[in-house]
Amino acid sequence: MSYLLQHLHNGWQVDQAILSEEDRVVIIRFGHDWDPTCMVMDETLYKCAEKMKNFAVVYLVDITEVPDFNKMYELYDPCTCMFFYRNKHIMIDLGTGNNNKINWAMEDVQEYIDIVETVYRGARKGRGLVVSPKDYSTKYRY
Amino acid sequence: MSKQKQVSFQKNPNETESQIIGDSKALADDIIKKHTLDSDEEDVQDNQDDRMEDDDIEGQEDDTIAFDGSTTITPFNMREEMETGHFDKTGTYIFDKETEIKDSWMDDIDWVKVKQNAKAVKEKELESSDSEPEEVDELSLWKEMVSLMLPGETVAKSLRRLGGGNKKLSSAQRLKAKKLGIKPTEEEIKNKEFFQTLTSLADKFIQSGYMEIYDDTYEKIAYKIQEKEQPIKKVPEKLPENEEDALDMFGDEFDEKVAKSESKNNDEPVLKKRKVEPVATAPSSTDDIQWEYKQTDEESAEICGPFTSSQMQQFVDDNKFPGGVYVRKVGAGSDFYSSKRIDFELYT
């Protein structure tokens, strides 16, 4: 787990983080710092954050501390990553059937950056749904 | 039941032209009637068939005495009510509309004309709401602003430097200064002018919907100017390098520059489109992205390329990869991904 990624401690901060970012993708990881899945994800996010600082920013949200979004975003999984661009939720076709979020831990840094870059490019061109370069349907079955 | 009001639809072979005209006139009158002040009330057709007759109301009694001492006795019947209205078959009491609210202003209205005008007005409204606040000639505005700012300053900071720098004088002090004949120095006057120019420039951006203007730094604005000028042609002087010249907003050179940029902007409508989205620092300039691909996912497969994003998009459009190929970005260290899942258009 990394303390170098910024945590958001209440709903208002989350809203502001999403709202205030002008031309970067806002990545929000919902989960718990102590959760093993989140630890893996956070590690990846930490490694990515510097590389994609020009087009994306990462925030961590504890879903127990900030339960405001649990219902709206259906945050039932141990670890959920969601993408926002200019206050708009960007969907990604990951092949999993759930286009709203990445709800597993990703370990491959480059893979993650590729997804975020696709999100960024798509969002900038006004797309609400982008297709992730990789199909995750075979790997992560429900 | 009164039958005289019932309309007969039997065609009268002797019907004359004038009758038809009369009818249509009646129809027009009817339309106009609907536009009376109480037109939003239900148009109750005064259909005699729907009326409840006096006999249908059960349990009525004849009038007895009008007064018992000083107490008024209301007779147990509906006679009084029937004078001002009637019941329909379902028992709803309906007031007779005898006295229509008349308004001489309403009588004057030519409804045919109103209808025509309404259409035009609606169109006009649509137009005005659609049309964006007037596009500002941003390039020249940016340039003008940057000329008033110092490197490293935000617009707000510049304003503070130009305007807030001199301390506020109390009225007594001001009076004293006036008595002594101390006039504001030339620089102060100049600063004040710059301050006003900068404020009005910033205001133009605010009005065009760009709210972050006060937080923009000299460098950011300079970058924006550069961004805008680049696609047109390489202009040697992107920025007023010479601070002196640039600050001298009345200098001929500067005016020329502004004029030049203005004319440039008019030639290039493409520019405005670019401005709609604030320029983001893209992951890597879109022109740089090159792709290579191989037909199979095997290690040994031959790698073709590199190709640019637009070339790749062309390949996809031409259906050159019917089964999909495995592509990756050159130099990014990514894995090979199926071309089916990659939208090359995003990279162009």
Side-chain angles (χ1 to χ4, degrees):
Chain A
M1 195 215 99
S2 160
Y3 280 107
L4 290 158
L5 293 173
Q6 202 185 337
H7 280 81
L8 303 172
H9 299 289
N10 55 49
W12 186 81
Q13 285 182 346
V14 176
D15 277 341
Q16 288 307 306
I18 296 171
L19 274 168
S20 61
E21 205 55 60
E22 260 274 298
D23 23 62
R24 285 196 292 178
V25 174
V26 178
I27 305 166
I28 298 189
R29 188 279 283 150
F30 295 97
H32 297 106
D33 290 348
W34 45 261
D35 193 288
T37 321
C38 277
M39 286 185 192
V40 177
M41 190 74 225
D42 290 357
E43 190 64 33
T44 315
L45 286 171
Y46 171 63
K47 286 181 193 156
C48 298
E50 178 66 20
K51 291 188 183 176
M52 51 194 196
K53 66 168 193 289
N54 282 337
F55 59 98
V57 60
V58 182
Y59 294 104
L60 310 181
V61 174
D62 189 305
I63 53 172
T64 310
E65 189 186 11
V66 188
D68 311 27
F69 304 97
N70 296 5
K71 207 170 176 188
M72 183 167 51
Y73 294 145
E74 300 171 337
L75 307 171
Y76 311 130
D77 310 281
C79 178
T80 306
C81 264
M82 295 185 73
F83 300 94
F84 299 88
Y85 186 76
R86 292 192 190 155
N87 199 24
K88 195 176 154 210
H89 170 215
I90 305 298
M91 298 200 284
I92 335 127
D93 178 0
L94 297 153
T96 57
N98 188 346
N99 293 347
N100 293 320
K101 53 198 171 188
I102 299 178
N103 51 2
W104 67 89
M106 289 189 60
E107 284 176 66
D108 193 312
V109 173
Q110 190 55 47
E111 232 173 76
Y112 195 77
I113 293 177
D114 286 342
I115 291 179
V116 178
E117 190 188 335
T118 315
V119 169
Y120 171 75
R121 288 184 183 280
R124 281 237 302 163
K125 299 221 166 176
R127 312 266 170 92
L129 172 72
V130 296
V131 183
S132 87
K134 202 172 160 186
D135 184 354
Y136 294 91
S137 58
T138 47
K139 239 182 170 176
Y140 303 92
R141 225 180 268 282
Y142 286 100
Chain B
M1 192 180 285
S2 50
K3 291 259 163 141
Q4 77 269 25
K5 260 201 156 181
Q6 277 204 317
V7 187
S8 93
F9 289 103
Q10 233 131 42
K11 196 94 180 172
N12 187 354
N14 302 334
E15 201 169 50
T16 57
E17 195 82 339
S18 65
Q19 260 177 310
I20 294 166
I21 291 165
D23 279 355
S24 63
K25 198 168 177 249
L27 200 75
D29 278 347
D30 202 38
I31 291 165
I32 289 163
K33 250 191 198 148
K34 282 189 180 167
H35 288 290
T36 52
L37 280 180
D38 46 6
S39 62
D40 49 350
E41 280 170 33
E42 278 174 66
D43 290 316
V44 183
Q45 290 300 312
D46 196 16
N47 197 337
Q48 297 287 333
D49 281 339
D50 287 343
R51 283 189 179 214
M52 191 185 269
E53 291 305 304
D54 203 26
D55 306 337
D56 297 339
I57 304 167
E58 283 172 33
Q60 294 193 99
E61 289 168 16
D62 282 335
D63 299 12
T64 50
I65 43 166
F67 294 99
D68 182 13
S70 61
T71 318
T72 320
I73 304 290
T74 309
F76 197 77
N77 58 38
M78 304 302 282
R79 232 159 269 163
E80 205 177 309
E81 282 79 3
M82 292 305 241
E83 278 167 24
T84 53
H86 65 271
F87 286 96
D88 71 1
K89 277 267 146 55
T90 55
T92 311
Y93 184 72
I94 297 161
F95 280 99
D96 287 341
K97 255 192 264 171
E98 276 168 348
T99 46
E100 252 181 25
I101 306 160
K102 280 275 179 191
D103 190 323
S104 54
W105 177 81
M106 288 292 265
D107 294 339
D108 288 344
I109 297 172
D110 183 352
W111 285 105
V112 180
K113 247 185 188 168
V114 169
K115 285 257 168 68
Q116 284 171 347
N117 290 348
K119 210 177 161 189
V121 168
K122 218 174 191 179
E123 269 169 19
K124 220 178 184 178
E125 267 173 11
L126 242 126
E127 227 169 70
S128 61
S129 63
D130 275 358
S131 66
E132 299 266 300
E134 224 166 275
E135 273 279 351
V136 234
D137 178 11
E138 275 168 338
L139 188 59
S140 59
L141 289 183
W142 285 127
K143 280 190 161 183
E144 213 169 319
M145 287 190 90
V146 103
S147 71
L148 296 171
M149 293 163 69
L150 293 179
E153 278 183 336
T154 62
V155 175
K157 223 172 166 186
S158 295
L159 286 173
R160 237 170 288 143
R161 172 174 58 87
L162 293 168
N166 42 350
K167 285 190 192 83
K168 275 254 164 20
L169 299 169
S170 71
S171 53
Q173 278 173 311
R174 232 179 289 140
L175 205 72
K176 204 177 158 193
K178 209 178 169 187
K179 266 186 193 159
L180 289 170
I182 300 173
K183 280 184 183 156
T185 62
E186 207 153 291
E187 197 178 334
E188 272 170 357
I189 298 172
K190 213 167 153 191
N191 272 353
K192 205 174 170 189
E193 253 165 46
F194 287 159
F195 177 81
Q196 274 160 359
T197 322
L198 196 56
T199 314
S200 66
L201 286 171
D203 185 54
K204 271 181 201 159
F205 281 103
I206 296 276
Q207 271 173 9
S208 73
Y210 182 66
M211 297 299 179
E212 289 81 33
I213 183 71
Y214 286 108
D215 295 327
D216 280 0
T217 58
Y218 177 92
E219 283 75 19
K220 192 170 178 187
I221 297 175
Y223 178 72
K224 277 180 181 164
I225 296 172
Q226 215 174 335
E227 273 282 314
K228 282 196 148 204
E229 281 184 339
Q230 219 98 69
I232 317 162
K233 57 183 156 183
K234 298 271 189 265
V235 184
E237 8 98 43
K238 278 156 205 144
L239 267 181
E241 300 105 330
N242 193 336
E243 203 75 53
E244 289 260 313
D245 257 349
L247 274 171
D248 181 11
M249 64 182 291
F250 306 108
D252 296 337
E253 221 186 300
F254 183 71
D255 280 350
E256 264 173 35
K257 248 183 264 172
V258 174
K260 220 192 275 174
S261 67
E262 260 167 12
S263 66
K264 228 178 286 156
N265 250 19
N266 294 341
D267 296 342
E268 301 289 329
V270 194
L271 257 187
K272 285 182 181 157
K273 217 174 125 198
R274 276 186 67 88
K275 188 50 217 143
V276 176
E277 292 219 340
V279 195
T281 40
S284 49
S285 175
T286 44
D287 305 334
D288 297 338
I289 294 179
Q290 301 226 306
W291 302 82
E292 45 195 17
Y293 69 89
K294 52 186 186 178
Q295 298 289 346
T296 58
D297 204 10
E298 286 146 33
E299 282 285 314
S300 55
E302 193 192 349
I303 296 173
C304 310
F307 298 102
T308 64
S309 300
S310 37
Q311 276 176 311
M312 293 301 282
Q313 182 61 43
Q314 195 60 45
F315 290 153
V316 174
D317 290 345
D318 296 348
N319 207 14
K320 276 202 173 177
F321 311 135
V325 291
Y326 294 89
V327 300
R328 74 167 175 200
K329 267 182 272 172
V330 176
S334 325
D335 289 340
F336 281 95
Y337 297 123
S338 168
S339 63
K340 281 178 174 170
R341 292 188 68 84
I342 293 185
D343 187 356
F344 293 104
E345 224 185 299
L346 293 182
Y347 298 88
T348 53

